[in-house]
Amino acid sequence: MGSVQTLDLEQLRARLSETAEIVTKDDSPPELYQKSIARWSESSVRKGSIIIFPATVEDVCVAVEYSAASGLEVAVVGGRHSTSGSSSSEGGIHIDLAKMRAVTVDPTNKTVTAQGGCRWEDVDTALANHQLATVGGTVNDTGIGGLTLGGGYGHLMGQYGLRQKLCSPTGAYKSALSLKTRISSGRSEELVLVLE
Ligand SMILES: Cc1cc2nc3c(=O)[nH]c(=O)nc-3n(C[C@H](O)[C@H](O)[C@H](O)COP(=O)(O)OP(=O)(O)OC[C@H]3O[C@@H](n4cnc5c(N)ncnc54)[C@H](O)[C@@H]3O)c2cc1C
């Protein structure tokens, strides 16, 4: 089991893309760290050791590999609205997807692809530009990740059902598979089992 002290943050920085970010308790100003661990519900705030903000899918892979090697608890952060504390970890690593909010709409096939850090506002606005809408939540600053995994009720539910029914996890599988391929080449057998 590793600890933050034994982990090489500089090495991590070097592997991440230029726009990715890392925040720790020691960074100044202290408000930067406080902002990084803030949650919609104060009772869900946990003081993570390292907060990683990936900017690309490759960054996410690097962050997961790093976290697995550290042995620390990991929390994935979407829109920060859960009240259970499940997107936070005391002393662990937070992988916060806030920089990954791109949305692509295919108006011909009426599909939308959104990155894991999107809030409903991002998806609703992109779709509205094409006079389209999808089943989301009722409050547009909740995250699409947490709501799809653990909620799913919104304004269009009466007509189309819960959010989860319309969600294809292809993208998630893709990055998990690419991660698995890389990890299979000898880095963490445990993580391969989790992905399987
Ligand atoms: C003000 C408010 C309004 C709400 N309105 C609605 C509503 O209208 N309809 C409804 O169904 N629910 C609603 N909810 C509940 C909401 O769906 C849940 O709180 C949900 O967990 C929030 O997701 P999040 O991504 O914002 O939260 P987070 O706290 O960031 O994440 C919640 C969980 O999802 C995981 N997660 C988040 N994103 C990802 C990702 N990209 N990949 C993998 N895991 C991820 C996190 O690890 C964590 O376990 C509301 C909550 C609040 C506080």
Side-chain angles (χ1 to χ4, degrees):
M1 170 136 345
S3 72
V4 179
Q5 288 75 27
T6 62
L7 300 173
D8 189 341
L9 278 181
E10 285 315 313
Q11 223 175 9
L12 173 63
R13 275 198 184 91
R15 290 185 64 200
L16 293 170
S17 68
E18 263 178 38
T19 38
E21 219 179 315
I22 302 171
V23 177
T24 71
K25 276 182 199 159
D26 305 327
D27 286 337
S28 84
E31 291 76 29
L32 181 66
Y33 175 73
Q34 299 304 335
K35 216 174 133 194
S36 299
I37 58 166
R39 296 291 180 270
W40 182 84
S41 163
E42 274 180 28
S43 65
S44 299
V45 173
R46 312 271 187 275
K47 292 184 176 132
S49 298
I50 306 173
I51 323 299
I52 306 174
F53 293 90
T56 64
V57 172
E58 176 64 22
D59 286 341
V60 174
C61 293
V62 169
V64 173
E65 284 176 353
Y66 180 85
S67 306
S70 77
L72 295 173
E73 188 178 61
V74 186
V76 174
V77 190
R80 302 181 174 201
H81 271 63
S82 75
T83 48
S84 64
S86 62
S87 61
S88 306
S89 164
E90 189 72 34
I93 296 179
H94 299 184
I95 301 179
D96 191 320
L97 303 173
K99 284 178 181 282
M100 299 182 68
R101 292 176 66 168
V103 182
T104 315
V105 179
D106 177 349
T108 310
N109 293 311
K110 296 194 175 163
T111 58
V112 59
T113 306
Q115 286 191 311
C118 283
R119 298 198 174 202
W120 281 106
E121 178 188 7
D122 306 318
V123 174
D124 290 344
T125 305
L127 284 171
N129 289 335
H130 299 277
Q131 285 80 52
L132 293 170
T134 188
V135 177
T138 56
V139 175
N140 74 359
D141 62 344
T142 53
I144 65 163
L147 188 138
T148 301
L149 291 168
Y153 56 92
H155 295 300
L156 299 175
M157 189 177 74
Q159 198 170 351
Y160 297 105
L162 285 171
R163 168 74 205 151
Q164 285 87 339
K165 274 175 66 182
L166 295 179
C167 179
S168 148
T170 318
Y173 284 155
K174 256 194 231 157
S175 43
L177 281 177
S178 103
L179 187 60
K180 185 187 154 188
T181 312
R182 290 171 41 177
I183 291 166
S184 302
S185 54
R187 293 197 196 142
S188 167
E189 286 310 318
E190 265 175 38
L191 196 53
V192 172
L193 286 178
V194 170
L195 290 171
E196 276 170 356

